[in-house]
Amino acid sequence: MDSPNADSTVLRNDMASTRDVRLRALQKELSDHLKDHNSSDARSSWKERHDALATEVATQRQRKSLQREASKRRDLTELLRLHTKSIATKRRTERLSDTSKGNLDIEVEYIQDEEGKRMDERKREEKRKREEERKQEEERKREEERKREEERKREEERKREEERKREEERKREEEEKEKERKRHDGIKQQYEDAYREFVQAREDCSLPDHGLRAFFRLYDAKWDVLKNPIELQPLAFAELPWPILSEHLLSPSEITMERVQQFIFHPTRHKDMTKVLIIREELLRWHPDKFESLILPKVRECDKQLVAEASGLIIRALYGLKSLGHT
């Protein structure tokens, strides 16, 4: 936007240009008039016109001077107004600056105070979280310690229980072994008693029936020994309980169905059992699978073939008796 000083300068320049044009026009008119009028009337008229023109020029110059003075006063007034306005603006700006600076200081102080409060709150929150984490960690450690203690107690209890069970199992095994040993000892004792009874009956010829009963008891006692896991010396062929009424069986050829029948159905043997039960009992004793797995391993190596052959003859004789109607 143009200032008031610039407007005044343009106006003065326009007025000066107008006056110059006016003066040049008057001078040209005067020169033309002098050329056309050489008479005294003309000179008189020219003088009048010259005086009038001089008066007009003087008037215009005076007016021009007054206008310049008025323009200067206006310029001074405008400059004074602008200067006053500038000073007022500067003072207002300074007041606003001071006010803004004060407000800014207050705002900065407020922001710093709020930031300090937030920092304090954040520190308190962090401290609270650390305290909670510490408590949680302590609680976790106590819980782990409690679990370890419980696990240790359970492990100790389990070990005590296992030890107790092992001790009970050991005692039970010892009791079973003791019972088995006593039973085996009883079987051995029965065999020894039966053998002594048989020997005594054999020497006492006055009681033949007593000798047969002793022989039958010795046969059953030998089977009791063989069926149980009793440690024995390897047995000879003649030491096995053959169902033949012969004290010393020396060869499988001596075994026949008639001799087996005479032995197992003898009147003094198993008076309270039927022939069916007697045959069934003997078949269980001489069953090939059981005989080979339980009895044959206890025989001397040199007699195993003879024993196997003799046991085969006995099992065929038993099945033969069974097929004859003894069922």
Side-chain angles (χ1 to χ4, degrees):
M1 183 177 180
D2 296 336
S3 64
N5 291 331
D7 294 339
S8 299
T9 303
V10 172
L11 180 60
R12 286 195 298 271
N13 292 333
D14 291 341
M15 292 176 65
S17 297
T18 302
R19 285 193 300 271
D20 292 339
V21 171
R22 180 65 177 163
L23 287 174
R24 284 194 296 272
L26 289 174
Q27 289 175 357
K28 186 177 185 302
E29 183 181 355
L30 179 60
S31 178
D32 292 340
H33 185 71
L34 288 175
K35 290 179 181 180
D36 295 335
H37 302 282
N38 293 320
S39 63
S40 59
D41 292 336
R43 285 193 298 272
S44 177
S45 177
W46 176 83
K47 184 178 180 181
E48 290 177 358
R49 291 178 64 86
H50 181 270
D51 292 339
L53 181 60
T55 302
E56 184 179 356
V57 170
T59 302
Q60 288 180 356
R61 287 178 177 174
Q62 185 179 5
R63 188 183 298 115
K64 183 177 180 181
S65 178
L66 292 174
Q67 288 176 352
R68 282 197 300 270
E69 292 294 331
S71 177
K72 287 180 180 180
R73 285 194 298 271
R74 285 195 301 271
D75 292 342
L76 290 174
T77 302
E78 183 64 21
L79 288 174
L80 180 60
R81 186 184 67 80
L82 293 175
H83 181 67
T84 303
K85 183 178 179 181
S86 176
I87 293 173
T89 302
K90 183 177 180 181
R91 290 177 179 175
R92 186 166 58 253
T93 303
E94 290 176 352
R95 287 196 301 272
L96 290 174
S97 177
D98 294 339
T99 303
S100 299
K101 184 177 180 181
N103 292 336
L104 181 61
D105 293 339
I106 294 172
E107 183 69 19
V108 169
E109 184 178 357
Y110 174 77
I111 292 173
Q112 290 176 349
D113 185 56
E114 289 296 319
E115 184 65 22
K117 290 180 180 179
R118 284 194 295 271
M119 288 292 293
D120 293 339
E121 181 65 24
R122 187 159 54 247
K123 288 180 180 179
R124 287 194 296 271
E125 182 66 19
E126 291 176 355
K127 183 178 180 181
R128 184 184 62 80
K129 288 183 179 180
R130 287 195 299 269
E131 185 66 20
E132 288 181 356
E133 290 176 356
R134 184 185 62 80
K135 290 181 180 180
Q136 291 175 358
E137 182 66 18
E138 290 178 354
E139 182 64 23
R140 185 184 63 80
K141 289 181 179 179
R142 285 195 295 270
E143 183 66 18
E144 289 179 355
E145 182 65 24
R146 184 183 63 80
K147 289 181 179 180
R148 284 195 295 269
E149 183 66 20
E150 290 179 354
E151 183 66 23
R152 185 183 62 80
K153 290 181 180 180
R154 285 195 296 269
E155 184 66 18
E156 290 179 355
E157 182 65 24
R158 184 183 63 80
K159 289 181 179 180
R160 286 195 295 268
E161 183 66 18
E162 289 179 354
E163 184 65 25
R164 184 184 62 80
K165 289 182 179 180
R166 284 195 296 268
E167 184 65 20
E168 290 180 354
E169 184 67 21
R170 185 183 61 80
K171 289 181 179 180
R172 187 164 51 251
E173 289 178 357
E174 289 180 354
E175 291 176 357
E176 291 294 330
K177 288 180 180 179
E178 183 65 20
K179 289 180 181 179
E180 190 70 11
R181 186 185 62 79
K182 289 181 179 180
R183 190 173 67 84
H184 292 170
D185 291 343
I187 293 172
K188 287 182 179 180
Q189 187 64 40
Q190 290 176 3
Y191 169 74
E192 292 174 357
D193 293 343
Y195 184 76
R196 282 195 299 270
E197 183 182 0
F198 170 72
V199 172
Q200 184 178 0
R202 185 180 57 184
E203 293 176 352
D204 189 1
C205 298
S206 61
L207 299 172
D209 292 340
H210 179 68
L212 286 174
R213 285 193 295 271
F215 185 75
F216 292 142
R217 281 195 295 273
L218 180 61
Y219 174 82
D220 294 332
K222 285 184 178 182
W223 271 112
D224 290 338
V225 172
L226 292 175
K227 288 189 298 182
N228 288 277
I230 299 174
E231 293 184 3
L232 299 172
Q233 294 294 330
L235 300 174
F237 177 84
E239 292 176 328
L240 291 173
W242 302 110
I244 302 295
L245 290 174
S246 175
E247 183 178 351
H248 299 291
L249 185 66
L250 301 178
S251 172
S253 60
E254 300 179 23
I255 299 173
T256 63
M257 186 172 65
E258 289 76 11
R259 298 187 71 179
V260 172
Q261 180 180 6
Q262 182 184 7
F263 179 88
I264 64 175
F265 293 149
H266 196 279
T268 60
R269 185 174 183 268
H270 296 311
K271 293 181 179 181
D272 55 346
M273 292 178 64
T274 64
K275 291 182 178 181
V276 174
L277 295 177
I278 293 173
I279 291 176
R280 183 179 299 172
E281 181 183 39
E282 294 300 327
L283 285 173
L284 290 174
R285 285 175 173 175
W286 293 96
H287 190 278
D289 294 337
K290 291 183 178 180
F291 190 86
E292 289 180 3
S293 61
L294 296 177
I295 310 302
L296 199 59
K298 298 179 181 181
V299 178
R300 293 187 307 183
E301 192 66 30
C302 60
D303 290 340
K304 283 185 178 181
Q305 186 174 358
L306 292 176
V307 171
E309 182 182 353
S311 65
L313 292 172
I314 290 172
I315 197 69
R316 284 194 292 273
L318 291 173
Y319 277 112
L321 293 173
K322 183 179 180 180
S323 65
L324 291 176
H326 300 293
T327 57

